[in-house]
Amino acid sequence: MKIEHTIMDLAQQVGNLLEAETDTTDMECLIKKNRTVTIELHDKSFDCTLEHDISFRNLKSDGSAMNEADIYLLPEEVPLFTQALQQYPIALPTEFEQSIDSNPNIVCLRLTTEEPPENFAARLAAALRQID
């Protein structure tokens, strides 16, 4: 099918943009990207590997899809990350949602958009580069 072929092509492009592995099913692409951070807790520090969950599904004929990402950040990284998202040359789409779950050491920023997956991935990659 043409749509499946397009999803496979987009999965490869998105994976390249995010420097991550992809797993594509019939109508969805899952992207797994890991990031190791150092958490300071009292007088100790330890490294923690976080796995971001990124996906797109329901690819439409106009090239847009439902994109989702759970990005795990240190609390001090949130302002820089969100600023990078907002200042990216491709504006955030009107169909954009953001929510935050946090504990004292890690913040989960959940992003949901409806736009071309390559735009979502490029914006996300640029924001991740700001904190790495």
Side-chain angles (χ1 to χ4, degrees), residues 60-79:
K60 296 181 179 176
S61 59
D62 67 0
S64 68
M66 182 57 67
N67 304 279
E68 292 182 340
D70 288 343
I71 305 297
Y72 296 93
L73 306 166
L74 298 173
E76 61 270 20
E77 294 172 329
V78 173

Side-chain angles (χ1 to χ4, degrees), residues 3-101:
I3 289 202
E4 287 179 27
H5 181 70
T6 303
I7 288 175
M8 297 296 267
D9 292 343
L10 278 173
Q12 184 173 359
Q13 184 178 359
V14 166
N16 289 342
L17 285 167
L18 289 167
E19 298 174 7
E21 294 183 22
T22 61
D23 183 19
T24 306
T25 62
D26 290 343
M27 299 302 286
E28 182 175 36
C29 176
L30 305 173
I31 301 102
K32 295 292 182 190
K33 182 164 179 67
N34 294 332
R35 179 169 172 256
T36 301
V37 297
T38 301
I39 296 176
E40 305 289 334
L41 189 57
H42 306 295
D43 60 345
K44 297 179 181 173
S45 66
F46 59 95
D47 290 337
C48 180
T49 299
L50 307 169
E51 185 175 279
H52 304 304
D53 290 321
I54 305 164
S55 66
F56 68 86
R57 67 180 184 283
N58 300 337
L59 186 62
K60 296 181 179 176
S61 59
D62 67 0
S64 68
M66 182 57 67
N67 304 279
E68 292 182 340
D70 288 343
I71 305 297
Y72 296 93
L73 306 166
L74 298 173
E76 61 270 20
E77 294 172 329
V78 173
L80 189 60
F81 183 85
T82 55
Q83 181 180 25
L85 284 179
Q86 294 166 355
Q87 292 179 346
Y88 191 72
I90 299 172
L92 288 166
T94 54
E95 294 294 324
F96 171 77
E97 292 179 23
Q98 174 180 310
S99 63
I100 293 180
D101 288 323

